[in-house]
Amino acid sequence: SEIKQMIVDRSGIVSNNISRKINYLVVGDLDVNVITDSENIKSTKIVKAEKLIEQGYDIKIIPISKLLKGCAE
């Protein structure tokens, strides 16, 4: 996709897996701070990234609009 290519063009690496090696998890435009697990709205990737963050890994969860804004600058 175009977004993946933008990341690669800026020396980023795109992965479909969540691990302690990632720096960013790009998600759809939603407020991940409002979503609750009890509603089963969070994706498994968000949940896994949050667990890694709790363990001290420096992973940022960002909405795609923020990524696109940063790439446009």
Side-chain angles (χ1 to χ4, degrees):
S1 79
E2 291 179 39
I3 295 170
K4 288 181 182 180
Q5 190 59 49
M6 284 190 320
I7 294 168
V8 171
D9 290 346
R10 288 163 177 79
S11 301
I13 298 171
V14 178
S15 174
N16 290 324
N17 301 314
I18 302 299
S19 74
R20 61 181 182 233
K21 296 179 181 180
I22 69 165
N23 299 106
Y24 297 95
L25 171 61
V26 180
V27 296
D29 284 320
L30 47 84
D31 187 349
V32 294
N33 297 315
V34 176
I35 298 173
T36 60
D37 286 324
S38 62
E39 295 178 24
N40 288 327
I41 295 175
K42 284 187 184 178
S43 73
T44 56
K45 289 183 179 184
I46 293 173
V47 172
K48 187 169 183 180
E50 288 176 335
K51 287 180 182 177
L52 289 169
I53 292 166
E54 288 173 9
Q55 294 172 14
Y57 293 98
D58 187 24
I59 299 171
K60 306 286 187 271
I61 301 173
I62 61 169
I64 195 164
S65 59
K66 186 173 181 178
L67 172 74
L68 294 174
K69 183 179 176 185
C71 288
E73 295 176 349

